[in-house]
Amino acid sequence: LDSEPTYERADVVLITDGEAELSAEFMGEWARRSKRDGLSTYAVHIGGHAPPVLRALTADVIELKSLLPEALDAALFARITDA
């Protein structure tokens, strides 16, 4: 999958509750591959504040404190409509 040319310059969206640990090895490999392949990484963190490891993975982190529909509109789409 990752060697397919169609995945170059891909947008990767990670949705997480922030409970998983990411090793330094994984973080380093992700950074190398992202740079090499031109990947854009976006993260959606559900519940509370995003952990530092998620912010180390990408600067584009959206924090969702609620999954109520009215809260989702503001959290997810504010960046798009404000641009």
Side-chain angles (χ1 to χ4, degrees):
L1 179 75
D2 62 347
S3 62
E4 294 289 325
T6 56
Y7 293 102
E8 291 177 9
R9 299 179 40 82
D11 292 330
V12 178
V13 179
L14 172 67
I15 301 173
T16 182
D17 62 3
E19 294 297 319
E21 294 291 326
L22 300 177
S23 69
E25 180 182 355
F26 174 86
M27 296 294 285
E29 181 63 21
W30 187 263
R32 284 188 293 279
R33 293 183 67 180
S34 293
K35 186 175 182 178
R36 180 191 75 200
D37 296 338
L39 302 177
S40 297
T41 304
Y42 304 93
V44 178
H45 180 262
I46 300 172
H49 294 288
V53 68
L54 193 57
R55 295 201 178 275
L57 189 64
T58 178
D60 291 309
V61 177
I62 297 172
E63 294 177 329
L64 296 179
K65 293 175 182 36
S66 172
L67 292 178
L68 298 174
E70 58 274 7
L72 290 176
D73 287 346
L76 290 175
F77 302 113
R79 292 184 186 186
I80 297 169
T81 58
D82 291 346

